[in-house]
Amino acid sequence: MGRLQRGLSTLTLVTIPVAIAINVVVGQLALAVKVPLYLDSIGTILVGVLAGPWAGALTGFLSNVIWTVAGWYTPAIAFAAVAAIIGAMAGAFARAGWFREWWRAVLAGLLTGLVAAVVSAPIATFVFGGVMGSGTDAIVALARSIGLTSLGANMAQGAFSDPLDKAISCLAVWGLLRALPKSFMARFPSAASA
Amino acid sequence: MSPAPSLYLPQPTGLQPLHPLTKLVLTLTVLSGAISLADPRYVFATYGLILVPLAGWSRILGPFLRYSFRALAPFLLSLVIIQGFFYPGELVIFSLGPFHYKAEGLGFALLFSGRLLVGLGASLLLLLTTRMDHLMQALTQRGLSAQIAYIVVTTLQIIPRFQSRGEAIFDAQRARGLKTEGSLLRRARALFFLVPPLLFSSLMETDARAVALEARGFGKPGPKTSWAVLTDSGGQRIVRALCAVAALAMIGIRLAAVARPR
Amino acid sequence: MIEVNDLSYTYPGTTRPALDKVSLRLGEGEFVGVVGANGSGKSTLCYALAGFLPTLYQGECHGQVQVAGLDPIRAGPSALAGTVGFVFQDPFSQISGARFSLEEEVAFGLENLGLPREQMAGRVKEALALVGLSDLAGRSPFELSGGEQQRLALASILVLQPQILLLDEPTSQLDPVGAKKVIESVDALTAERRTTVLLIEQRLEWMAAHADRAIVLDAGRVVADGPAREILTAPSLDALGVRRTRYTLAAESAVGRRLIPSPDHLPVTLEQAAVLLR
């Protein structure tokens, strides 16, 4: 909290709402063209990379708060911590230089996705009784029919869907970083290592 | 331009005129009740005897019920099917090939559906009766960072603008012959032409937003004042205190029950 | 009110300075127009005076600046907010987004400056009236047209009653009649309050109608500075990518063909041209 009290730079502050809007709108575009990906964390990853793990975590957290508050998907807030972890991990990977080469960005995405799956499974299990209320529940049913426990089935579902989604999102952010003007990037605190 | 996405329905009576914190505390109390109660009957009673009358009092009963069930329905369906078949139990109700539908699973599905109904309902009640900017203002007065309040309210307002920008890009690229249907590869390729223009246009304007915000003193240290007045009352303060005590008591009892060796 | 000495500034990632040894002095109540081609440093000068350089943009900054007794380079934008008002072109980015109605949006700056609530209502009402938005006070800022949003941006700054007003093409999206009205009321208000105004504007005709003095920037340098009418009619503007008004050009060609006697100053506005042609 001390970090937050000191505050974000104004540029980071105004970028976060834009990043959340990107999450929402790109997520909706992905739905509109019916690709089997969520693509709803590109903005979160971008802020993590540009402005550091803290700002990334905040962007992810508030993204899910917004999904709830706007009335699009009320349960989203329960997964806010997962979204925060995604943003924080993207920021940490960027600091370690993993967003310099495309294949390392993909790797960062795969790892982030795995962690996201592991963390969201208990939430799905203990808060929502083991279902997500979406098409991915078919995977959960399949996993349980072959004998997995509720928690295990939710992990299997996440491990199936999340790493691919996050890897593609990280790759998209990697491409975006190459395309954005240097003068724009230079204004962000963490951009140097990306 | 559509207004900010919000569930808020203004009414002169009921919960709407209450201080945002009162409603927030009420919601959190009901949520802790949903987690703590282990008997489905009590859980459903919480919804029927607390949330529904409050919604009626606030004259939003119709939308409240509609939103509650719309939010619950997908979970209910998955829970009843998946837990019924796969929850460990003995009391088989019917069988489908190698799979047995069990009463324990149905019970578990009902308890969780009830909890979700109460949790979703309590959240919806807050959102339907509270202006988000007022809630944020109230929280800022209690120590929430003004930056976080800014992010939440601003995001809600710029999303419709971005959605129409996204639609405009979608339509423009389609008019230029971009195929957004067909094979998976083709649809993925379409995204490649849709997403970058949206990201660029929106990121490049952040500079100007930062300048404008600073020019109006947002980064200025020192106390801020506010235009909107949030009315509070002694009665509401007492209600909030009672709710907090009730919430803590329910969680405490639940924890004690869980911790007790069986 | 404003004193700039040898100010040079280079944006990060670029080599050519955006401002190159700029020196400038503006007195209280002065209304000064700034012209120059795109990229000549007009907006960058405003950023410097409002404290955005180098706080917000980093980059190389040399020289001294004093604005209303403050040092924008060291103090940064938040120290100058309220003293220096800055309105720019893009209306959408100037809406804070943090408030749901026009009057709340205008009050947002006052909230940040910590003005007691009792003093807000009057000032908000006055600012909205000045830009002609009183009727829409309860509307959402996002339901406005581009032109109305520009008026709102202006009101949101005027309400702070700044001692110095930096206007960077603040009426580009307004229709000509609306823009003229807004500029006129801003001129009247700032004259009454003895506000120092720096106006960047493509339409020299309007600038000449209000500015006493004009400055020409080229590649980050001040290349001309003097009485508005003299500066805005100078033939040298053509080579600097600044379009002189049709009245100036018509009068110049009339003089060249000896249709009218050579005047002391060429006209910039229609009124000035009318006087010349009697």
Side-chain angles (χ1 to χ4, degrees):
Chain A
M1 231 20 221
R3 179 79 184 239
L4 287 179
Q5 294 297 337
R6 241 181 295 142
L8 306 160
S9 83
T10 306
L11 193 60
T12 304
L13 175 71
V14 299
T15 306
I16 292 176
V18 171
I20 299 176
I22 288 173
N23 285 345
V24 171
V25 177
V26 175
Q28 288 174 338
L29 271 177
L31 275 176
V33 301
K34 302 191 193 71
V35 291
L37 297 167
Y38 312 120
L39 295 187
D40 57 358
S41 44
I42 290 183
T44 304
I45 295 168
L46 183 68
V47 172
V49 172
L50 288 177
W54 256 104
L58 187 64
T59 307
F61 187 90
L62 292 178
S63 279
N64 281 40
V65 171
I66 295 289
W67 278 95
T68 296
V69 164
W72 293 316
Y73 184 62
T74 319
I77 201 165
F79 294 93
V82 182
I85 289 172
I86 292 169
M89 284 185 71
F93 279 124
R95 286 211 173 150
W98 283 42
F99 275 81
R100 286 202 195 108
E101 294 110 9
W102 70 268
W103 58 272
R104 275 214 257 187
V106 169
L107 206 58
L110 289 174
L111 289 172
T112 307
L114 272 179
V115 173
V118 168
V119 183
S120 41
I123 300 176
T125 308
F126 298 116
V127 181
F128 295 97
V131 299
M132 301 286 282
S134 72
T136 53
D137 284 346
I139 303 173
V140 175
L142 188 74
R144 292 194 68 175
S145 73
I146 57 169
L148 261 62
T149 62
S150 184
L151 184 62
N154 278 295
M155 283 202 189
Q157 180 272 317
F160 185 82
S161 315
D162 283 323
L164 180 67
D165 179 61
K166 301 302 172 283
I168 289 180
S169 300
C170 283
L171 187 63
V173 169
W174 174 86
L176 192 66
L177 295 175
R178 304 273 120 9
L180 283 169
K182 290 236 156 23
S183 56
F184 176 81
M185 305 265 297
R187 280 166 222 157
F188 284 93
S190 291
S193 56
Chain B
M1 181 60 42
S2 54
S6 159
L7 298 176
Y8 176 64
L9 297 170
Q11 287 291 347
T13 60
L15 289 169
Q16 281 88 338
L18 297 184
H19 193 272
L21 281 183
T22 307
K23 290 175 269 188
L24 181 65
V25 168
L26 195 67
T27 299
L28 293 176
T29 307
V30 175
L31 278 175
S32 46
I35 307 167
S36 312
L37 297 172
D39 186 329
R41 285 171 302 177
Y42 292 150
V43 176
F44 282 100
T46 309
Y47 185 82
L49 300 180
I50 297 177
L51 295 178
V52 168
L54 281 175
W57 180 44
S58 309
R59 299 194 195 160
I60 49 161
L61 188 57
F64 173 74
L65 293 174
R66 235 186 355 267
Y67 284 122
S68 300
F69 288 111
R70 201 185 294 163
L72 180 71
F75 287 97
L76 183 67
L77 193 71
S78 296
L79 275 171
V80 168
I81 296 174
I82 294 181
Q83 296 297 356
F85 279 112
F86 303 119
Y87 193 80
E90 314 285 309
L91 299 165
V92 177
I93 301 177
F94 66 92
S95 298
L96 239 165
F99 302 116
H100 309 292
Y101 199 90
K102 285 147 289 194
E104 289 92 339
L106 184 62
F108 179 84
L110 285 181
L111 172 64
F112 252 98
S113 302
R115 282 186 178 165
L116 281 177
L117 183 65
V118 172
L120 296 169
S123 313
L124 284 167
L125 198 60
L126 175 70
L127 299 174
L128 284 161
T129 60
T130 313
R131 265 179 64 159
M132 206 33 64
D133 56 337
H134 288 171
L135 178 60
M136 287 298 143
Q137 185 183 330
L139 289 174
T140 311
Q141 285 165 359
R142 298 299 158 107
L144 179 78
S145 135
Q147 291 192 327
I148 290 180
Y150 165 85
I151 293 171
V152 171
V153 179
T154 304
T155 306
L156 285 174
Q157 296 215 79
I158 65 171
I159 283 176
R161 172 91 186 201
F162 275 58
Q163 283 170 325
S164 48
R165 195 180 284 176
E167 279 161 27
I169 292 171
F170 190 77
D171 292 342
Q173 298 286 39
R174 284 220 311 193
R176 283 197 226 151
L178 181 73
K179 299 278 187 296
T180 57
E181 278 146 35
S183 70
L184 180 60
L185 198 68
R186 180 175 265 179
R187 283 176 279 138
R189 204 183 80 101
L191 269 189
F192 190 77
F193 286 91
L194 292 170
V195 173
L198 182 72
L199 296 194
F200 275 112
S201 61
S202 46
L203 285 173
M204 292 327 255
E205 75 183 21
T206 51
D207 251 7
R209 298 194 146 270
V211 167
L213 210 54
E214 286 286 5
R216 291 166 73 190
F218 190 74
K220 204 173 176 106
K224 296 178 190 240
T225 47
S226 46
W227 166 269
V229 182
L230 305 174
T231 46
D232 202 356
S233 63
Q236 290 190 51
R237 281 191 202 101
I238 295 170
V239 169
R240 290 202 291 267
L242 290 176
C243 280
V245 170
L248 288 177
M250 284 189 291
I251 292 174
I253 291 169
R254 178 74 183 147
L255 285 179
V258 171
R260 194 183 310 140
R262 295 183 195 178
Chain C
M1 207 25 72
I2 296 178
E3 213 180 304
V4 182
N5 285 316
D6 271 338
L7 177 66
S8 295
Y9 173 76
T10 310
Y11 282 103
T14 62
T15 47
R16 195 177 68 80
L19 293 176
D20 192 359
K21 297 212 164 87
V22 171
S23 293
L24 206 58
R25 244 165 235 272
L26 266 70
E28 187 187 320
E30 249 191 305
F31 197 123
V32 180
V34 183
V35 295
N38 278 338
S40 60
K42 295 171 297 188
S43 301
T44 308
L45 178 62
C46 286
Y47 286 168
L49 296 177
F52 297 123
L53 308 180
T55 337
L56 196 63
Y57 286 93
Q58 278 93 48
E60 286 278 305
C61 200
H62 304 284
Q64 293 92 44
V65 185
Q66 250 213 5
V67 175
L70 297 164
D71 176 1
I73 293 174
R74 295 230 167 65
S78 50
L80 281 111
T83 309
V84 178
F86 182 31
V87 183
F88 54 92
Q89 203 175 348
D90 174 23
F92 175 56
S93 349
Q94 289 181 83
I95 295 175
S96 74
R99 295 293 178 267
F100 286 1
S101 73
L102 257 63
E103 50 184 8
E104 292 169 304
E105 174 70 19
V106 173
F108 178 70
L110 298 176
E111 296 177 325
N112 292 332
L113 299 183
L115 191 83
R117 201 186 165 275
E118 310 77 60
Q119 296 172 32
M120 284 185 193
R123 278 168 74 162
V124 168
K125 217 171 156 186
E126 183 195 42
L128 282 172
L130 200 82
V131 298
L133 286 177
S134 301
D135 295 343
L136 306 176
R139 278 259 207 111
S140 159
F142 290 88
E143 290 170 346
L144 302 180
S145 69
E148 286 165 341
Q149 287 184 343
Q150 271 195 328
R151 290 166 192 262
L152 176 62
L154 197 56
S156 301
I157 291 299
L158 288 174
V159 77
L160 305 175
Q161 303 184 348
Q163 295 173 44
I164 292 152
L165 192 54
L166 309 172
L167 303 172
D168 187 353
E169 301 191 28
T171 59
S172 55
Q173 299 202 13
L174 288 178
D175 60 277
V177 181
K180 192 159 179 267
K181 258 191 178 159
V182 168
I183 293 270
E184 270 163 16
S185 40
V186 169
D187 191 7
L189 180 83
T190 52
E192 186 192 309
R193 289 187 188 153
R194 308 262 311 138
T195 311
T196 304
V197 182
L198 199 75
L199 172 70
I200 298 175
E201 176 60 68
Q202 302 282 349
R203 294 166 282 200
L204 300 193
E205 205 186 324
W206 297 0
M207 184 181 279
H210 302 286
D212 329 301
R213 179 178 153 196
I215 293 167
V216 185
L217 286 180
D218 180 49
R221 291 166 188 267
V222 176
V223 292
D225 181 352
R229 187 156 172 187
E230 199 175 292
I231 298 289
L232 299 179
T233 53
S236 58
L237 285 186
D238 299 351
L240 297 175
V242 179
R243 275 181 47 182
R244 292 184 290 162
T245 70
R246 61 183 108 168
Y247 309 110
T248 308
L249 297 175
E252 190 178 61
S253 112
V255 170
R257 290 191 223 151
R258 297 178 194 286
L259 296 174
I260 54 169
S262 181
D264 291 343
H265 295 296
L266 290 168
V268 186
T269 66
L270 176 62
E271 286 79 12
Q272 291 167 355
V275 170
L276 192 69
L277 299 170
R278 249 166 293 116

